[in-house]
Amino acid sequence: MVIILNGSERRKHPDHFERLFRLRYRVFVKQRGWSLPAMNNREIDQYDDDDAVYFLDLDDEENIQGTVRMTPTVKSSLLADYFPHLVESGHSPRSQRIYEATRYIVLPSQKSREALRLAKGRLLTVLLEWCLDKRLSHLQTVIDAGTLSSFVEITQQTMPLGLPHPYGGGRGTPGGGECMAFRWPISLQVLDDVRAYAGLAGPMSRFGEFGRPDRGSPRAPLH
Amino acid sequence: MSFMGDEYGKRTLDFVQRIQGLTNYEEICPVIMQELAWFGFSCVTSFSIPGPGCHLKDSIWLNNRPAEYVDRYAEKNYVIHDPVLKELRRTMNPYSWGDIREGRDLKKSERTIIDEGREFGAYDGLVIPIVNLTGSISLFSPCGRDPDLSPRARAALEVIGIYSHHALTRALVRRQREEVVHTPLTPREREIMQWVAIGKTDEEIAGILSISMTTVTSHVENAKQKLDAFRRTYAVVQAIRLGEISL
């Protein structure tokens, strides 16, 4: 089940956040060797504030199988702050209607390609449903260039903002790797593509009324 | 919006936009070739590494290397011996033939495989590995006499290769689906779809043909099923496409 938590709810859900920050430490600091601010085996940075929105895919034991953090680009954008050179298209990386996805992890309890697809599909579907509900125009993210193909395969609407650029290497990327930025337009088409990839016919979340064949346009926001 | 990057970035983002608008295989291919030509590539092969029991020739998405070359390549089973492909065991990042020639100690037989490209004017090439969501590996591999292999060109070609590969496979899968034989409509279904096509409602059609509306609806539903359509608009499009009705 995918739950959505606001950064302002950190006190209300201490267990979920504790697990999240520890998982992020394990994946990004220990495994990938990124140099990130870390304390007591938790990875928390300046974008983990009240405006951040967290998507957590939990298994029956409430272990996190997948997660992504969404931040409003007007205030918090990794792309604008650290990787502005990745935007070659001339688009502004900050906009009221654009959120940025960071700290993306998919780690299903069961290790198989199928489980990975399902976990990724669940997370991305709820993410898209939420974006439609928020009436966003785009979501954007910085990725390892090697993963571009997997996003293009999910939806043809994947728009690169520039070419891959080298970035300094952590332990996992000796001599450095290549990163780039892309955007997804927030549309029923992309939601359909993501659902098709996930093998889902219907909505995943309470936001998921969108894209049902009998609905022409999204209804008024729920909150 | 003003473009900020250099020519490599500009061309590539333009290319992505153009190819996103195309669904026809025949339209996609020349757009790819034209783009590659700007970088100095004259030929390209886009294919998936065949799985066990599958043949290379069945998994080529686009190829304009000469037929004799490809035939010999397949016949001699170069796919197993080609040092350029062996490199895939070490990396999934793009690399050039030159990287392999310079970076590895090659056997004479291995050098021969690379050098045979010269027969059709290909002295160097780039290999862009693509890992598909199913786990299979595809390669987008352009080559030419003296192609631009500068770091910026490689970054551009990586993006071009990925978008080309997915556009090609999407178009081919779509075409395959369309080639699937459909169950033909009955004369009555065809007649009714003809009325649907000019915008008549079931009620109107019932009046025209002096039959009940439920009968019309049931004919339309059957036709939709046969045409693999959820909606009547798409059913009409399919019926025209498949030659069941005409306008």
Side-chain angles (χ1 to χ4, degrees):
Chain A
M1 187 191 57
V2 180
I3 60 165
I4 306 171
L5 301 176
N6 290 316
S8 55
E9 297 175 301
R10 242 154 99 171
R11 287 233 179 79
K12 208 167 128 197
H13 303 280
D15 295 352
H16 288 319
F17 279 97
E18 175 72 14
R19 284 187 188 206
L20 172 64
F21 295 141
R22 282 182 182 274
L23 174 66
R24 277 171 32 177
Y25 176 80
R26 210 174 80 219
V27 170
F28 296 116
V29 180
K30 293 298 252 194
Q31 291 170 8
R32 295 197 203 164
W34 293 1
S35 57
L36 298 170
M39 254 175 60
N40 301 327
N41 299 335
R42 291 175 195 82
E43 183 266 304
I44 302 173
D45 72 7
Q46 75 267 38
Y47 301 130
D48 290 307
D49 58 20
D50 283 0
D51 295 317
V53 181
Y54 302 85
F55 293 75
L56 270 60
D57 179 22
L58 305 175
D59 68 10
D60 294 342
E61 269 107 59
E62 304 224 311
N63 294 309
I64 300 171
Q65 307 195 79
T67 175
V68 65
R69 176 182 66 185
M70 291 291 271
T71 54
T73 52
V74 172
K75 194 168 156 244
S76 312
S77 167
L78 182 78
L79 183 59
D81 293 342
Y82 295 93
F83 297 97
H85 56 287
L86 298 184
V87 185
E88 298 180 40
S89 62
H91 289 97
S92 166
R94 294 188 198 272
S95 151
Q96 288 285 356
R97 295 183 63 212
I98 299 178
Y99 265 63
E100 192 166 301
T102 44
R103 299 295 187 266
Y104 171 67
I105 300 173
V106 179
L107 209 68
S109 345
Q110 197 197 335
K111 304 282 174 258
S112 72
R113 199 176 293 284
E114 180 66 0
L116 189 71
R117 179 180 68 80
L118 290 172
K120 204 164 136 187
R122 276 194 303 271
L123 189 65
L124 292 178
T125 301
V126 176
L127 185 68
L128 254 294
E129 288 174 354
W130 179 86
C131 289
L132 272 163
D133 185 72
K134 285 276 276 182
R135 309 217 166 198
L136 300 183
S137 66
H138 295 85
L139 76 79
Q140 69 188 22
T141 186
V142 176
I143 54 161
D144 194 277
T147 65
L148 174 67
S149 171
S150 66
F151 293 101
V152 178
E153 193 171 342
I154 292 173
T155 177
Q156 209 173 358
Q157 309 292 314
T158 307
M159 275 305 301
L161 292 174
L163 301 185
H165 286 255
Y167 71 94
R171 241 183 333 233
T173 50
E178 283 191 326
C179 63
M180 63 184 294
F182 79 77
R183 265 181 196 171
W184 271 357
I186 304 305
S187 65
L188 293 178
Q189 176 63 57
V190 174
L191 177 60
D192 277 351
D193 289 345
V194 169
R195 280 184 180 159
Y197 163 70
L200 294 166
M204 270 292 291
S205 68
R206 67 189 178 90
F207 305 114
E209 298 296 307
F210 306 111
R212 267 174 26 191
D214 57 333
R215 294 189 79 96
S217 59
R219 63 178 166 178
L222 290 163
H223 53 95
Chain B
M1 180 186 99
S2 64
F3 186 80
M4 293 154 71
D6 58 7
E7 187 66 12
Y8 291 106
K10 181 178 178 340
R11 288 197 69 94
T12 306
L13 299 187
D14 283 351
F15 170 82
V16 167
Q17 251 175 359
R18 238 177 317 145
I19 209 131
Q20 279 174 334
L22 300 176
T23 46
N24 250 339
Y25 182 77
E26 283 70 23
E27 291 172 336
I28 293 169
C29 296
V31 171
I32 295 172
M33 289 319 301
Q34 196 193 340
E35 194 55 31
L36 292 175
W38 186 81
F39 291 86
F41 294 100
S42 49
C43 286
V44 67
T45 308
S46 169
F47 66 104
S48 294
I49 308 257
C54 301
H55 294 285
L56 174 65
K57 284 193 147 182
D58 298 329
S59 54
I60 297 178
W61 315 117
L62 169 61
N63 171 60
N64 56 2
R65 294 184 206 203
E68 316 89 75
Y69 172 83
V70 176
D71 285 344
R72 189 177 48 220
Y73 198 97
E75 184 194 318
K76 294 202 173 174
N77 214 2
Y78 278 173
V79 108
I80 295 177
H81 307 288
D82 188 341
V84 173
L85 295 188
K86 278 186 192 162
E87 184 69 10
L88 289 171
R89 292 174 201 164
R90 299 206 293 197
T91 182
M92 281 291 135
N93 296 325
Y95 53 88
S96 74
W97 300 0
D99 297 343
I100 308 296
R101 263 207 206 93
E102 286 148 32
R104 298 243 312 260
D105 217 1
L106 298 181
K107 286 185 275 186
K108 190 162 172 282
S109 62
E110 291 180 318
R111 269 201 308 274
T112 311
I113 298 180
I114 303 183
D115 290 345
E116 280 182 6
R118 294 182 185 180
E119 290 170 18
F120 62 96
Y123 285 71
D124 209 344
L126 194 66
V127 176
I128 300 154
I130 297 163
V131 185
N132 298 298
L133 292 170
T134 55
S136 66
I137 292 168
S138 299
L139 300 182
F140 187 84
S141 177
C143 53
R145 183 168 295 278
D146 185 23
D148 182 353
L149 291 168
S150 65
R152 277 294 276 177
R154 288 180 189 224
L157 288 158
E158 184 174 0
V159 174
I160 290 166
I162 287 169
Y163 277 89
S164 299
H165 165 75
H166 290 299
L168 290 167
T169 49
R170 251 190 212 116
L172 287 173
V173 166
R174 209 177 79 108
R175 188 155 79 179
Q176 259 172 10
R177 268 197 208 133
E178 278 168 11
E179 278 168 5
V180 170
V181 271
H182 72 286
T183 320
L185 303 186
T186 63
R188 194 56 154 175
E189 285 163 358
R190 213 172 299 138
E191 186 183 9
I192 288 174
M193 285 310 293
Q194 194 78 52
W195 287 111
V196 173
I198 57 166
K200 296 288 181 202
T201 64
D202 287 3
E203 198 177 352
E204 287 164 340
I205 299 171
I208 294 165
L209 299 176
S210 304
I211 53 176
S212 80
M213 196 177 109
T214 13
T215 311
V216 175
T217 307
S218 116
H219 281 307
V220 173
E221 286 309 309
N222 287 340
K224 274 159 71 177
Q225 208 162 32
K226 287 180 179 177
L227 296 164
D228 197 21
F230 282 119
R231 296 172 190 228
R232 43 209 282 144
T233 320
Y234 187 60
V236 168
V237 172
Q238 282 289 77
I240 296 168
R241 191 182 276 156
L242 299 167
E244 288 284 7
I245 59 169
S246 55
L247 294 177

